[in-house]
Amino acid sequence: MTAPALDLTADVLTLTRALVDIPSVSGTEGPLADAVETALRALGGLEVVRIGNNVLARTDLGRDERIVLAGHLDTVPIADNVPSHLETVDGVERLHGCGTSDMKAGDAVMLRLAGLFGVPGAQPAHDLTFVFYDNEEVEAVKNGLGRVARELRGWLYGDLAILLEPTDGDVEGGCQGTMRVVLTVPGERAHSARSWLGTNAIHGAAPILATLAAYQAREVDIDGLHFREGLNAVKVEGGVAGNVVPDECRVTVNFRFAPDRDEDAAEAHVREVFAQVLAAGVTLEVTDMSGGALPGLAEPAAAAFVAAVGRPARAKLGWTDVARFAAFGIPAVNYGPGDPNQAHQRGEHVRVDRLQPAEDALTAFITGSPA
Amino acid sequence: MTAPALDLTADVLTLTRALVDIPSVSGTEGPLADAVETALRALGGLEVVRIGNNVLARTDLGRDERIVLAGHLDTVPIADNVPSHLETVDGVERLHGCGTSDMKAGDAVMLRLAGLFGVPGAQPAHDLTFVFYDNEEVEAVKNGLGRVARELRGWLYGDLAILLEPTDGDVEGGCQGTMRVVLTVPGERAHSARSWLGTNAIHGAAPILATLAAYQAREVDIDGLHFREGLNAVKVEGGVAGNVVPDECRVTVNFRFAPDRDEDAAEAHVREVFAQVLAAGVTLEVTDMSGGALPGLAEPAAAAFVAAVGRPARAKLGWTDVARFAAFGIPAVNYGPGDPNQAHQRGEHVRVDRLQPAEDALTAFITGSPA
């Protein structure tokens, strides 16, 4: 299937609609990646490479600083919400459709910037790298940005990375880490009619749940941003049969931790929280770990960008791909026109009046204009 | 398939082996029921009826009292343990095979008694009813004794019912009731990175598990038998995804209650135990309820039987089919040569030296001989 050609001179709303109307559910990004690649190559001022359905493009003007702009091309599954349509609700014009907020509006802004600064004779204040990647909405192992980091790591180098994920026009700095542990309570099986012959592992989970219920999550300010941690059971399972005292109960706990803790510190904290049950024979296994990212907003490029946007920055509490840049020591922020609350909703939409301001703020930053 | 004929004049070990060697996993009792029916009809002193794979037979000698002897014909699935074989371990001779203890040894004793007292001219002190039934090892709705109770209830009438379930030669009186309830803890879903926007239902289960862990089960003596209750979580489940604060957690609790509580009293007790969480919004649903059975050992026929066995009676803590008789006001006990700990084991066996004493004790009781 060949997608229609993208016109990078069209306004950002038209471009957003064009992107939404080319379906690109994770794993099927080919036609959209083709259209993006073709449009970028046609500009004449960019070096373009492609691996899989990841399309990378960059200027090479010898500027002192390089800004990386990144966005994923894929969406969650379509739910009767493609093609796009406009609706006006309470006087606010909205573009509806799968991926409008998450994050084709951001991709459209990137393509607009490529059209402005990726042409011969353009004079951006910074060199620019554009990264359009696939498979962000599925398992981390498939994530296109991860593949680029492994296979074309030099392409991710820069002084600041901006992910155009939906942030409602705010700058979100850093991201919290996330780890999952499974706490396994042992017991001894017995017929429930003679339960005193066994040891009920589900009953043994009582102090784990009580510890979680009583846990006071830490709040901390880093680089002026406010982070709020959380420790939550996300799964509990136990039971053999309706007449058996169960010999095992498993509680899966998710710890979201501020980026002033590294992975080791996060694990040590969780072990300390559960020290009493661990001493009593409960075992703890770390099943998942992704470190956070410090905001890095004190870095000159990041500070200049926040100034260009002209709105207060806030902490990113979920884990995002900014951590992949942070792992290379590159300051990275989320900033995009989409509404994060609209992500993955059947009625997903983006406010039309958020699109042009995002393009304008980035244009001002890239040209080095005062905010 | 035609099973070999059963010789009811053979000794009880030979007869037990013959029964074990005719496979009768629940749902496939046909050939064994055929063999039993044929053997009983051939005796000439019994009225015999059959419904499905349930075979009923009784004397009609006008005696003052009637004793019902009951045993199920089916077994759990065979696990490379048919045909039977003899083994001597530590000087004790054992018959190995699927259903030896649970409960073809008991069925063999019943057939021996039929052979002795179900022939013309026999002079038992009591009239006798024999109930061989199917599908005891599967869902209660299939239970053959339940079908007989619905369709041929008059056949279960008697002054005492003896189930020849494995009791290791002891008399077990009454049985405890069993009920299951599901406690559902509500919560509010949220992304686990912003957990304070939700309410974690798994954390909300903490007081339920703490209540269970602290619960002191009641012990009570009834008719001289000692009953010990139990309240146990047999299942816990909760969780939506690894990054979601869950909005529901379900704890399934099994209450085993002594027969001095009826069903209503049992439910009231469980509601009282969990009164605090129920007041806080947890819901309770009764999903399963089977009342217990009072021992009834003060009834003359039951007392005479206990005296004939000559060993102290003990309480039955699991739920058994004696409750079906108790529901009609018929005293009922478990008494059989099998070992209850061998039931459903791959290495299931019965001690050979338990077989003849069981036959002898029942013969003495039926003939009215002194113990």
Side-chain angles (χ1 to χ4, degrees):
Chain A
M1 167 184 153
T2 305
L6 296 171
D7 175 7
L8 304 193
T9 67
D11 66 87
V12 64
L13 170 60
T14 302
L15 203 46
T16 301
R17 295 199 68 161
L19 296 179
V20 173
D21 294 345
I22 303 173
S24 59
V25 176
S26 307
T28 67
E29 299 91 338
L32 181 56
D34 292 347
V36 168
E37 181 185 1
T38 301
L40 293 175
R41 288 194 189 279
L43 292 173
L46 294 170
E47 177 189 1
V48 179
V49 302
R50 166 132 176 205
I51 47 168
N53 288 324
N54 302 289
V55 183
L56 313 178
R58 64 184 171 194
T59 62
D60 186 14
L61 302 168
R63 299 292 191 269
D64 288 343
E65 295 193 320
R66 174 173 292 280
I67 310 301
V68 182
L69 299 154
H72 62 85
L73 293 174
D74 61 322
T75 69
V76 294
I78 290 168
D80 286 332
N81 51 1
V82 166
S84 61
H85 70 278
L86 288 164
E87 260 184 62
T88 300
V89 176
D90 292 336
V92 176
E93 194 178 27
R94 314 193 304 199
L95 177 66
H96 281 253
C98 182
T100 43
S101 267
D102 184 17
M103 58 172 280
K104 290 183 174 179
D107 295 328
V109 169
M110 287 170 62
L111 289 171
R112 284 287 302 155
L113 298 173
L116 291 171
F117 300 107
V119 292
Q123 292 297 329
H126 316 290
D127 267 310
L128 301 177
T129 302
F130 299 91
V131 180
F132 296 92
Y133 61 103
D134 67 356
N135 282 316
E136 192 271 348
E137 298 289 7
V138 287
E139 314 88 273
V141 68
K142 293 186 176 174
N143 185 296
L145 192 61
R147 180 174 174 189
V148 171
R150 287 189 302 274
E151 299 180 23
L152 291 170
R153 180 167 164 178
W155 272 81
L156 297 188
Y157 166 76
D159 298 279
L160 173 67
I162 302 170
L163 271 79
L164 281 87
E165 288 275 4
T167 65
D168 218 10
D170 288 335
V171 176
E172 292 183 338
C175 83
Q176 293 204 131
T178 177
M179 73 179 288
R180 283 181 197 83
V181 302
V182 175
L183 294 160
T184 303
V185 186
E188 196 177 342
R189 213 177 272 207
H191 195 288
S192 65
R194 288 173 205 82
S195 52
W196 55 91
L197 299 178
T199 305
N200 194 312
I202 295 176
H203 299 188
I208 295 174
L209 302 194
T211 298
L212 288 166
Y215 183 79
Q216 294 291 324
R218 188 176 66 120
E219 302 186 39
V220 60
D221 289 324
I222 303 172
D223 274 6
L225 304 190
H226 189 67
F227 289 88
R228 188 165 174 177
E229 298 184 328
L231 186 70
N232 272 275
V234 291
K235 187 175 187 180
V236 61
E237 49 187 337
V240 175
N243 60 355
V244 176
V245 172
D247 55 357
E248 187 174 286
C249 181
R250 291 156 56 90
V251 184
T252 304
V253 174
N254 182 209
F255 182 38
R256 299 286 178 149
F257 53 97
D260 60 340
R261 302 193 204 257
D262 64 13
E263 288 93 324
D264 289 345
E267 179 176 343
H269 176 69
V270 171
R271 287 189 179 275
E272 189 189 324
V273 167
F274 292 111
Q276 210 165 339
V277 293
L278 294 177
V282 169
T283 58
L284 181 154
E285 186 195 359
V286 177
T287 55
D288 187 38
M289 175 72 89
S290 297
L294 287 163
L297 297 185
E299 300 285 328
F305 174 65
V306 173
V309 172
R311 290 174 62 174
R314 65 181 181 205
K316 181 68 181 177
L317 300 176
W319 193 92
T320 81
D321 276 331
V322 299
R324 298 183 192 275
F325 290 98
F328 304 145
I330 302 168
V333 298
N334 288 290
Y335 171 73
D339 176 354
N341 296 322
Q342 288 300 317
H344 307 187
Q345 303 299 308
R346 179 179 290 265
E348 181 178 355
H349 57 263
V350 64
R351 284 175 65 132
V352 170
D353 64 7
R354 290 288 189 274
L355 301 178
Q356 195 61 50
E359 178 185 335
D360 293 346
L362 280 160
T363 301
F365 171 60
I366 291 167
T367 57
S369 311
Chain B
M1 168 184 151
T2 304
L6 296 172
D7 175 6
L8 305 193
T9 66
D11 66 88
V12 63
L13 170 60
T14 302
L15 203 46
T16 302
R17 295 199 69 164
L19 297 179
V20 173
D21 293 346
I22 303 173
S24 59
V25 176
S26 307
T28 67
E29 300 91 338
L32 180 56
D34 292 346
V36 168
E37 180 186 0
T38 301
L40 293 175
R41 287 193 189 281
L43 293 173
L46 295 170
E47 176 189 2
V48 178
V49 302
R50 167 134 176 202
I51 47 169
N53 287 324
N54 303 288
V55 182
L56 314 178
R58 64 183 172 195
T59 61
D60 185 14
L61 303 168
R63 298 292 191 268
D64 289 342
E65 295 193 319
R66 175 175 291 281
I67 309 302
V68 182
L69 299 155
H72 62 83
L73 293 174
D74 61 321
T75 70
V76 295
I78 290 167
D80 286 331
N81 51 1
V82 167
S84 61
H85 71 276
L86 289 164
E87 260 184 61
T88 300
V89 176
D90 292 336
V92 176
E93 194 178 24
R94 314 194 303 200
L95 178 66
H96 281 253
C98 182
T100 42
S101 267
D102 185 14
M103 56 172 283
K104 290 184 173 178
D107 295 329
V109 169
M110 286 170 64
L111 288 170
R112 284 287 302 157
L113 298 172
L116 290 172
F117 300 106
V119 291
Q123 292 296 331
H126 316 289
D127 268 310
L128 301 177
T129 302
F130 299 91
V131 180
F132 296 91
Y133 61 103
D134 68 354
N135 281 315
E136 193 271 349
E137 299 288 7
V138 288
E139 314 89 273
V141 68
K142 293 188 176 172
N143 185 295
L145 193 60
R147 181 174 174 190
V148 171
R150 287 189 302 275
E151 299 181 22
L152 291 171
R153 181 168 161 179
W155 272 82
L156 297 188
Y157 165 76
D159 297 279
L160 173 67
I162 302 170
L163 270 78
L164 281 88
E165 289 275 5
T167 65
D168 218 9
D170 288 335
V171 177
E172 293 183 336
C175 83
Q176 295 206 128
T178 176
M179 73 179 288
R180 283 181 196 82
V181 302
V182 175
L183 294 160
T184 302
V185 186
E188 198 177 343
R189 215 178 269 207
H191 195 291
S192 65
R194 290 173 205 81
S195 52
W196 56 92
L197 299 178
T199 305
N200 194 312
I202 296 176
H203 300 187
I208 295 174
L209 301 194
T211 298
L212 288 166
Y215 183 79
Q216 295 291 325
R218 187 176 67 120
E219 302 186 38
V220 60
D221 289 324
I222 304 172
D223 274 4
L225 304 190
H226 189 68
F227 289 89
R228 188 167 175 175
E229 300 185 326
L231 186 71
N232 273 275
V234 290
K235 188 174 187 182
V236 60
E237 48 187 339
V240 175
N243 60 353
V244 176
V245 172
D247 55 357
E248 187 174 288
C249 181
R250 290 156 55 91
V251 184
T252 305
V253 174
N254 182 208
F255 182 37
R256 299 285 178 150
F257 53 96
D260 59 341
R261 301 193 204 257
D262 64 12
E263 288 94 324
D264 288 345
E267 180 177 343
H269 177 68
V270 171
R271 288 190 179 274
E272 189 190 322
V273 167
F274 292 112
Q276 210 166 341
V277 294
L278 295 177
V282 170
T283 58
L284 180 154
E285 185 194 0
V286 178
T287 56
D288 188 39
M289 175 72 88
S290 298
L294 287 163
L297 296 184
E299 300 285 328
F305 175 64
V306 174
V309 172
R311 291 175 63 174
R314 64 183 183 205
K316 182 67 180 178
L317 301 176
W319 192 91
T320 80
D321 277 330
V322 299
R324 297 184 193 274
F325 289 98
F328 303 144
I330 301 169
V333 298
N334 288 290
Y335 170 73
D339 176 353
N341 297 321
Q342 288 300 318
H344 307 188
Q345 303 299 310
R346 179 179 291 267
E348 181 179 354
H349 57 263
V350 64
R351 284 176 65 133
V352 171
D353 64 7
R354 290 288 190 274
L355 302 179
Q356 195 60 52
E359 179 184 334
D360 292 346
L362 281 159
T363 300
F365 172 60
I366 292 168
T367 55
S369 309

